[in-house]
Amino acid sequence: MSATRPIIDAVQQHLQAALPHIGVDVFPERPGDYSLTHPVGVVLVGYQGSKFTRQEALGMIAQQRDVTLSLTIMGVGWHSDEGTLAILDEVRLAIVGYRPPNCQMCHLIHEQFLSEDAGAWQYELLVQTETQQVQQITQPDLPKFIQARTRREGEALEPDLKPKTNQP
């Protein structure tokens, strides 16, 4: 089971709900084939990578995982009220403090201009959240407890049980 994809999907759904006037998608499989078709703009949510802290001394491996997401903002126009800078501002406001499942609140790391082509502007906003990476432990296949049989003091033992003998 993936731990990363649910984070990406949750961020995508949160941004789409917070910014219904723009498109919000998961970063495409083939970025070179992607074209901006939304009339206002789009945010593409992608996974940038993770960093891990030293393991905690718990008798098993447990580490903090710092997850970095890349939000690529693409917009038509730059200065207008619906331009790329306005979208970038809205995305920042929507993502800061959002808490994906099993994570801490999102915070900003860095943003930068990527490119401009025929009036379509692109910026990248790096966002970080933290979660825990914990070792999976396989439990040994021990006999399972099935049934308890109780008796009160003075009642006879059931015929298939043997009394405990005290040995010195």
Side-chain angles (χ1 to χ4, degrees):
M1 182 177 139
S2 173
T4 305
R5 186 60 198 241
I7 296 170
I8 294 169
D9 291 343
V11 167
Q12 183 269 329
Q13 292 166 10
H14 168 73
L15 289 175
Q16 187 62 76
L19 308 167
H21 60 286
I22 62 173
V24 182
D25 294 314
V26 173
F27 208 82
E29 293 281 337
R30 294 183 178 92
D33 295 342
Y34 186 84
S35 60
L36 175 62
T37 57
H38 195 281
V40 177
V42 69
V43 178
L44 301 176
V45 181
Y47 175 66
Q48 188 75 22
S50 293
K51 291 184 181 179
F52 300 90
T53 61
R54 294 176 51 102
Q55 73 181 38
E56 298 171 20
L58 299 173
M60 61 182 216
I61 296 175
Q63 296 172 280
Q64 179 175 304
R65 176 182 176 206
D66 299 339
V67 179
T68 303
L69 300 175
S70 171
L71 305 179
T72 302
I73 292 89
M74 301 169 67
V76 179
W78 195 54
H79 294 291
S80 70
D81 289 342
E82 292 184 342
T84 308
L85 286 180
I87 295 170
L88 184 60
D89 289 339
E90 289 179 280
V91 170
R92 261 192 255 106
L93 289 172
I95 197 65
V96 169
Y98 170 67
R99 188 176 185 158
N102 303 313
C103 294
Q104 298 298 315
M105 289 187 283
C106 291
H107 52 94
L108 305 175
I109 297 177
H110 178 76
E111 76 180 27
Q112 66 181 0
F113 169 77
L114 292 179
S115 69
E116 182 275 333
D117 183 22
W121 296 79
Q122 289 187 26
Y123 281 83
E124 178 184 51
L125 179 61
L126 295 182
V127 176
Q128 183 173 305
T129 184
E130 293 80 29
T131 187
Q132 292 293 313
Q133 186 70 45
V134 181
Q135 170 188 357
Q136 282 190 329
I137 297 175
T138 304
Q139 296 294 328
D141 189 21
L142 299 173
K144 307 295 185 261
F145 179 77
I146 298 172
Q147 177 182 1
R149 296 195 255 184
T150 61
R151 71 181 182 100
R152 297 181 190 262
E153 192 173 329
E155 288 181 357
L157 286 177
E158 294 183 31
D160 59 329
L161 296 179
K162 297 180 183 178
K164 181 178 177 183
T165 58
N166 293 332
Q167 297 180 357

